């Protein structure tokens, strides 16, 4: 396992990626190389600080009123420029802080009531199964 990046807080989050998120990324990014780049970018969430506007060099925002957060990842792909990755924090074991990656969508897609229902449902399922 790689060592944490120096200069950041000692807290290192555990990352869990839900199966529907893999399916979202497969649909959005058909090229393996681009999905691999997204995976490398997602690992930066291990040093996520809810009080800072950036995760290392990636911008993130709260999605109100859902309790979810979104990470904006810019990729070098001819089809999708920026991916909106939705995640939330839920730690079934409090000493081990955990972030759950629920899925992703194109950044130019609107986050409407359908997306709200989908990602809220995914977070509810994660919470029920994780506890």
């Amino acid at each position: 396992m790689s060592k944490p990046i120096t200069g950041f807080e000692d807290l290192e989050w555990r990352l869990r990626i839900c199966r529907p998120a893999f399916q979202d990324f497969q649909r959005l990014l058909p090229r393996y190389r681009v999905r691999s780049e997204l995976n490398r970018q997602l690992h930066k969430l291990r040093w996520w600080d809810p009080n800072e506007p950036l995760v290392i060099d990636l911008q993130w925002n709260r999605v109100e009123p859902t309790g979810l957060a979104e990470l904006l990842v810019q990729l070098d792909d001819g089809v999708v420029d920026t991916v909106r990755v939705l995640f939330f924090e839920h730690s079934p074991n409090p000493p081990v802080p955990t972030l759950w990656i629920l899925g992703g969508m194109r950044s130019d897609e609107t986050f409407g009531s359908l997306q709200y229902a989908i990602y809220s449902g995914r977070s509810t399922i994660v919470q029920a199964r994780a506890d």
Side-chain angles (χ1 to χ4, degrees):
M1 180 173 231
S2 64
K3 293 183 178 183
I5 297 173
T6 59
F8 290 91
E9 189 176 333
D10 290 336
L11 177 66
E12 186 175 335
W13 291 81
R14 180 178 178 205
L15 292 181
R16 301 290 307 265
I17 302 177
C18 301
R19 181 166 181 81
F22 285 115
Q23 294 167 332
D24 286 353
F25 300 144
Q26 178 80 31
R27 178 183 50 83
L28 281 173
L29 309 167
R31 294 186 181 128
Y32 177 78
R33 178 190 61 78
V34 180
R35 287 194 311 273
S36 296
E37 175 63 26
L38 176 64
N39 187 41
R40 284 190 293 276
Q41 296 294 329
L42 289 178
H43 280 283
K44 292 177 181 179
L45 280 173
R46 294 185 334 193
W47 295 280
W48 178 64
D49 182 354
N51 300 318
E52 295 292 326
L54 295 174
V55 179
I56 301 179
D57 62 347
L58 299 175
Q59 180 184 353
W60 74 275
N61 305 304
R62 293 259 182 222
V63 180
E64 299 299 334
T66 62
L68 304 176
E70 65 181 2
L71 181 71
L72 300 173
V73 181
Q74 194 168 13
L75 299 170
D76 183 23
D77 185 22
V79 180
V80 177
D81 289 332
T82 305
V83 174
R84 177 187 297 172
V85 177
L86 289 122
F87 67 97
F88 81 113
E89 71 178 278
H90 175 70
S91 300
N93 183 5
V96 181
T98 306
L99 290 178
W100 296 82
I101 298 175
L102 299 175
M105 53 195 285
R106 296 171 65 110
S107 65
D108 57 358
E109 291 181 69
T110 60
F111 193 84
S113 60
L114 177 62
Q115 287 78 12
Y116 172 78
I118 290 170
Y119 292 107
S120 293
R122 288 181 186 179
S123 67
T124 302
I125 291 169
V126 164
Q127 290 176 20
R129 291 184 179 172
D131 290 337

